[in-house]
């Protein structure tokens, strides 16, 4: 047993065996390894002696794997392939330290982050961003990303930083509001098109119940499984969408979307936080984190001045 452990720790012997088995020729193996054919033959013979089995049959025509040799070659080839993959990933990560990977909703990326991406590039010109996109509710692990935006979950052992409370309000384009009026006007919901997100933390019925508006029988309805498309439909004047302020603050700030009700937004009691797996943050990740928080704080200050309904958030 001890001899086997010593053999398995001899990566050089296994490497010579793998090349010899793949080449089916000791001379070709020697050329690949930059040694002599005699050195290859000796290394293979020592490995065979240690294991007490023949790995090759030898003849004037060359060498051929035995049944035991084929079994070992399959395992050794897979092992070296896995090691090569791991080494490439390590090298990629070290060379790619300037890239920060973010796990965010499609709506947040499309309608909050991308419109101000040029500002991010000015603030952090040497940092690249990569996105893992979530189309619906912000849930799931962040083990494979640098930062994620998630609803606060005390049970999770994440590092986390306050970003924005979960605040929901109906939003529409200024043109739609001018044509159709607010959702809480006397004419009621039946004249409006309500735009739905199919997987969400709050549906129109719940919003209406909490806001004192009967949203059960709209004039028309549109439904999407992707939050970015919900907001895009609202921006195009196709109806009224429920907007999570953490995603629509930029559009509200620029006047591309406006509140579609005179009532105050609904604060659910939940909170969105930027989260990361435990451990120290790279400087690049810290810079992205600080920039996101700063931009959101600036949005909050601006929309509070623009829209009195936000004074209580």
């Amino acid at each position: 047993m001890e001899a086997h452990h010593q053999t398995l720790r001899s990566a050089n012997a296994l490497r010579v065996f793998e090349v010899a088995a793949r080449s089916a020729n000791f001379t070709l193996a020697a050329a690949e390894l930059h040694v002599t054919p005699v050195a290859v033959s000796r290394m293979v013979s020592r490995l065979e002696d240690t294991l007490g089995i023949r790995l090759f049959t030898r003849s004037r025509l060359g060498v051929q794997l035995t049944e035991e040799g084929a079994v070992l070659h399959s395992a050794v080839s897979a092992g070296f392939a896995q090691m090569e993959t791991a080494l490439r990933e390590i090298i990629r990560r070290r060379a790619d330290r300037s890239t920060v990977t973010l796990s965010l909703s499609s709506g947040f990326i499309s309608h909050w982050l991308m419109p101000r991406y040029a500002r991010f590039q000015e603030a952090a010109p040497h940092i690249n961003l990569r996105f893992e996109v979530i189309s619906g509710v912000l849930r799931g692990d962040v083990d494979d990303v640098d930062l994620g935006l998630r609803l606060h979950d005390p049970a999770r052992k994440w590092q986390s930083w306050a970003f924005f409370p979960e605040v929901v309000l109906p939003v529409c384009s200024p043109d739609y509001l001018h044509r159709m009026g607010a959702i809480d006007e006397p004419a009621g919901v039946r004249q409006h098109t309500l735009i739905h997100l199919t997987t969400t933390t709050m549906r129109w019925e719940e919003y209406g119940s909490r806001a004192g508006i009967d949203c059960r029988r709209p004039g028309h309805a549109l439904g999407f499984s992707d939050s970015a498309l919900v907001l895009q439909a609202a921006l195009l004047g196709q109806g009224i969408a429920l907007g999570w302020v953490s995603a629509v603050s930029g559009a509200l700030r620029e006047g591309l979307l406006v509140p579609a009700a005179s009532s105050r937004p609904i604060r659910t009691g939940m909170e969105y936080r930027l989260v990361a797996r435990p451990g120290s943050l790279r400087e690049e990740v810290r810079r992205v984190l600080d920039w996101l928080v700063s931009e959101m704080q600036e949005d909050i200050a601006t929309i509070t001045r623009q829209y009195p309904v936000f004074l209580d958030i």
Side-chain angles (χ1 to χ4, degrees):
M1 181 64 71
E2 180 61 28
H4 288 191
H5 281 304
Q6 290 174 354
T7 300
L8 293 176
R9 286 199 296 267
S10 177
N12 189 42
L14 293 176
R15 182 59 175 166
V16 170
F17 165 73
E18 190 278 327
V19 175
R22 175 162 41 81
S23 305
N25 186 296
F26 286 178
T27 300
L28 292 178
E32 180 175 333
L33 294 167
H34 304 289
V35 297
T36 66
V38 172
V40 172
S41 179
R42 286 176 179 171
M43 183 67 76
V44 170
S45 295
R46 289 173 187 167
L47 182 59
E48 289 176 322
D49 291 343
T50 301
L51 294 175
I53 57 174
R54 295 294 95 187
L55 298 172
F56 294 94
T57 58
R58 297 157 174 83
S59 70
R60 293 181 179 179
L61 299 177
V63 295
Q64 184 175 358
L65 283 169
T66 64
E67 183 176 346
E68 292 82 357
V71 171
L72 181 60
H73 180 238
S74 177
V76 169
S77 296
F80 277 117
Q82 289 178 345
M83 285 188 284
E84 289 286 349
T85 299
L87 288 170
R88 284 195 297 269
E89 176 63 14
I90 291 169
I91 292 169
R92 184 196 67 78
R93 290 187 180 187
R94 289 184 62 84
D96 205 23
R97 288 182 62 83
S98 63
T99 297
V100 174
T101 304
L102 303 172
S103 175
L104 307 168
S105 73
S106 57
F108 183 85
I109 295 169
S110 299
H111 302 292
W112 191 93
L113 203 158
M114 284 296 100
R116 65 189 78 200
Y117 182 62
R119 285 164 60 179
F120 171 76
Q121 288 180 307
E122 290 179 4
H126 303 299
I127 297 177
N128 300 313
L129 300 180
R130 180 186 296 129
F131 298 105
E132 297 290 335
V133 183
I134 297 176
S135 60
V137 179
L138 284 165
R139 296 196 179 106
D141 291 328
V142 293
D143 293 343
D144 297 326
V145 299
D146 295 304
L147 282 175
L149 184 61
R150 296 289 187 270
L151 278 169
H152 180 49
D153 183 354
R156 293 280 195 171
K157 304 303 181 183
W158 290 328
Q159 301 182 81
S160 68
W161 299 266
F163 193 61
F164 201 84
E166 187 178 45
V167 179
V168 183
L169 81 160
V171 294
C172 62
S173 70
D175 176 69
Y176 183 94
L177 185 66
H178 177 74
R179 287 187 291 109
M180 305 299 295
I183 195 174
D184 53 354
E185 289 183 351
V189 173
R190 292 189 178 184
Q191 68 177 345
H192 290 289
T193 297
L194 300 187
I195 307 170
H196 298 259
L197 180 62
T198 54
T199 303
T200 179
T201 58
M202 180 178 287
R203 299 184 181 276
W204 270 108
E205 292 78 5
E206 182 183 353
Y207 168 81
S209 175
R210 297 182 66 166
I213 304 171
D214 187 354
C215 296
R216 293 173 295 178
R217 297 179 181 85
H220 299 281
L222 283 171
F224 299 94
S225 61
D226 190 302
S227 61
L229 295 178
V230 169
L231 295 182
Q232 186 63 30
L235 286 163
L236 292 173
Q238 301 304 316
I240 302 176
L242 283 180
W244 274 248
V245 176
S246 54
V248 302
S249 63
L252 288 169
R253 175 179 175 170
E254 299 299 324
L256 300 174
L257 292 174
V258 294
S262 58
S263 56
R264 287 190 173 89
I266 300 297
R267 184 163 182 167
T268 69
M270 298 291 288
E271 181 186 13
Y272 286 100
R273 298 182 71 87
L274 290 164
V275 301
R277 57 188 177 274
S280 60
L281 297 182
R282 288 184 286 127
E283 176 61 27
E284 295 86 353
V285 179
R286 173 62 66 177
R287 290 194 65 184
V288 173
L289 169 64
D290 292 343
W291 182 84
L292 290 170
V293 172
S294 175
E295 287 287 312
M296 180 55 72
Q297 289 175 344
E298 188 175 333
D299 274 5
I300 295 170
T302 300
I303 63 176
T304 300
R305 290 193 300 268
Q306 288 177 308
Y307 304 106
V309 294
F310 288 103
L311 287 174
D312 291 339
I313 67 170

